[in-house]
């Protein structure tokens, strides 16, 4: 897992905003007041299927591929933990 010290805070913030923006689309319902401390499974009832869909939507929106090799249930604890993972595991852009 990547060291959170190496994560670009601006990128992480962008990922948090993007996740919150995508939640209603992925969950197919209104999601009010989502923030980085919102728990995806507990607060929003996200399943592993919707979690995967969210990661795919994130890749699309960020126009970057996310390495999912080490992506586990723990990374879906909160919007913030998912943002940490995504910001630290974006694959280099194709030249």
């Amino acid at each position: 897992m990547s060291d959170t010290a190496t994560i670009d805070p601006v990128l992480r913030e962008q990922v948090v905003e993007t996740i919150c923006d995508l939640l209603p689309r992925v969950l197919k319902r209104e999601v009010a007041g989502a923030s980085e401390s919102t728990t995806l499974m507990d607060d929003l009832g996200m399943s592993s299927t919707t979690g995967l869909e969210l990661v795919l939507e994130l890749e699309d929106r960020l126009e970057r591929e996310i390495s999912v090799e080490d992506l586990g249930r723990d990374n879906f604890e909160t919007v913030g933990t998912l943002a940490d993972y995504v910001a630290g595991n974006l694959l280099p852009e194709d030249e």
Side-chain angles (χ1 to χ4, degrees):
M1 203 156 122
S2 63
D3 181 10
T4 50
T6 62
I7 293 175
D8 176 353
V10 175
L11 173 63
R12 185 185 181 281
E13 186 57 37
Q14 179 191 359
V15 173
V16 167
E17 287 174 18
T18 305
I19 291 169
C20 291
D21 192 40
L22 288 171
L23 284 171
R25 180 176 170 168
V26 171
L27 296 169
K28 296 173 180 55
R29 61 180 167 82
E30 194 61 43
V31 177
S35 69
E36 86 174 64
S37 60
T38 301
T39 57
L40 297 170
M41 307 279 183
D42 295 340
D43 290 346
L44 301 178
M46 183 175 279
S47 67
S48 53
T49 308
T50 46
L52 184 59
E53 194 179 325
L54 179 59
V55 170
L56 294 172
E57 291 280 352
L58 270 171
E59 286 184 331
D60 202 40
R61 185 72 66 91
L62 298 171
E63 297 178 346
R64 296 277 297 278
E65 203 175 322
I66 300 162
S67 170
V68 292
E69 224 170 85
D70 301 317
L71 184 61
R73 187 177 172 90
D74 291 353
N75 302 115
F76 287 96
E77 184 67 31
T78 66
V79 170
T81 57
L82 183 56
D84 288 339
Y85 180 88
V86 170
N89 290 277
L90 285 174
L91 297 176
E93 291 181 72
D94 295 335
E95 297 305 315

